[in-house]
């Protein structure tokens, strides 16, 4: 039932170069080694690549920057900073900002982290079940990073995650909340990520997309589809665009109408996607993108 | 990690009669046979019992009504009607309303159902990925049930479910959405359910609780706690009150302040809860309630 490739015809992904705004988020092809990934993108006419710190630091940040730049690819975003409930959050996020700058990524994606946990590893009354306080802290922590982000020219992009991640991964659960947190800071320093997987269920998202566009805060736009049933832990249950129930085209139209003209990343986490060869996954990703949002 | 009993001391649940507004939703003790369940409630000083159609029809609705009434227990709610995307939704919901009336339940809980699905069992472009349209239909369908609900004196209570259920179980994902759908109808006919498990992550829930109270629409108030990691399918992952990260006391205070003085049901679905003897689960449920919201 939960097939991240459902209804997707790979052949249409191989038929012609990727659409102009298509960008591959490398998490979708997680096990594709960096050099092959870059080659594969070139072969498929992909011009934008979203990267993750885990892989770029393993491969070497400078080496990755050289490889990607040498191939003429743009790095569309770096995932991820955030997790502001961790003790070393400040130093780690400074490093992440510097890595984004070195890679030429205009955007560092921030996943805020969940509720603070007590010694048992669970949120407790004393450690803080107060989700409002946890969200306020995220805003304050981001503020402390703003001067450095502005200095090196990287936009910190707050990503609201689906409310099912609110306790343990990201207390920022709606686009409205993300924009509230971004409000005090200049849009060059703090923006938001719109990831269809996380926000599709929200009837207020359309108004908030307009608000995000009007304030110049759409820093990153990502596509993934919602498929069920969700797997244990719910992290690796996304479908490629077109395999699920999200009105992806409606999102593309709304984000375009809000004035965003940048890359559209496809970011899918799913074991059944990761276990297939990189070139096949890329072809399926392009095919799903094309079927969902056209030749954008 | 995912322990629905975490931090709960059963002894405090056995120490004295259940607090006055405590009600057991029978889903929490799913495998406790009806007669023993009623006896167990009496022994623990429980005065209110939420029932499910599956068990009441298996035991016989009239027989259940006699048993519960004879024991002096109030039926606080009947779960559930709804699933308005099913072909037989009208007849089934009429029956559910009649069953609620026969059981003396003032409230029939409505779980709206997910997106309409195509022949593949998945939502498709043609069958409707349009979540707005699916929500509108829920409002319209409820309207068709209103005359009968008023006639027999049962309030239809729209339950917003956590957004992780939006695709396949309940397109109504926030308290605000539920209240929007209820708006056209008299509060005696259509109310809402506030279940902490589903709405705790929502920063707008406090305003919406006030709105629900002001319009006289709080028909049912349920407690369950959020624990992680979520299990596959995410349906059976709830914790007893106090075992997770939800600020249950804040909800009780807010719902009280909104003018609701009715029963507070505890409704938990978890295999580790269901596999323990009914009396132990009831004691733990009372203990968790007491530790979370006091002697209400």
């Amino acid at each position: 039932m939960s097939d991240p490739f459902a209804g997707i015809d790979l052949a249409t992904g191989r038929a012609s170069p990727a659409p102009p705004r298509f960008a591959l988020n490398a998490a979708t092809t997680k096990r594709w080694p960096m050099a092959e990934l870059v080659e594969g993108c070139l072969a498929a006419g992909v011009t934008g690549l979203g990267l993750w710190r885990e892989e770029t630091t393993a491969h070497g940040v400078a080496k990755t920057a050289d490889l990607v730049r040498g191939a003429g690819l743009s790095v569309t975003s770096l995932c991820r900073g955030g997790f502001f409930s961790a003790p070393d959050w400040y130093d780690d996020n400074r490093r992440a900002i510097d890595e984004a700058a070195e890679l030429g990524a205009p955007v560092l994606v921030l996943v805020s982290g969940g509720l603070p946990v007590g010694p048992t590893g669970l949120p407790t009354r004393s450690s803080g079940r107060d989700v409002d306080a946890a969200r306020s802290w995220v805003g304050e922590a981001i503020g402390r990073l703003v001067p450095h982000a502005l200095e090196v020219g990287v936009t910190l992009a707050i990503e609201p995650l689906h409310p099912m991640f609110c306790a343990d991964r990201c207390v920022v659960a709606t686009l409205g909340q993300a924009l509230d947190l971004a409000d005090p800071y200049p849009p060059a320093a703090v923006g938001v990520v719109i990831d269809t997987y996380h926000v599709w269920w929200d009837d207020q998202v359309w108004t908030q997309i307009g608000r995000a566009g009007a304030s110049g805060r759409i820093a990153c736009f990502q596509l993934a589809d919602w498929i069920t049933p969700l797997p244990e832990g719910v992290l690796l249950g996304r479908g490629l665009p077109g395999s699920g129930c999200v009105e992806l085209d409606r999102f593309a139209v709304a984000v375009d109408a809000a004035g965003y003209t940048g890359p559209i990343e496809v970011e899918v986490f799913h074991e059944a996607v990761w276990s297939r060869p990189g070139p096949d996954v890329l072809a399926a990703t392009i095919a799903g993108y094309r079927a969902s949002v056209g030749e954008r």
Side-chain angles (χ1 to χ4, degrees), chain A residues 26-34 36-37 55 236 270-276 278:
Chain A
T28 309
T29 52
K30 193 176 170 63
R31 295 183 195 137
W32 211 0
M34 192 67 77
E36 293 174 39
L37 164 68
E55 284 76 23
L236 308 182
H270 198 296
E271 189 50 47
V273 174
W274 292 345
S275 63
R276 294 202 29 191

Side-chain angles (χ1 to χ4, degrees), chain A residues 10 42 49 84 93 118 123 127 164 182 201 203 216 262 269 296:
Chain A
L10 270 72
L42 290 183
L49 185 60
F84 298 109
N93 277 281
S127 69
M164 69 188 176
W201 57 270
D203 58 322
F269 315 141
R296 278 188 173 80

Side-chain angles (χ1 to χ4, degrees), chain A residues 15 33 91 99 116 129 143 159 166 174 188 272 281:
Chain A
D91 291 341
E99 289 165 21
R129 281 172 170 141
E159 179 164 18
C166 187
T174 65
V281 174

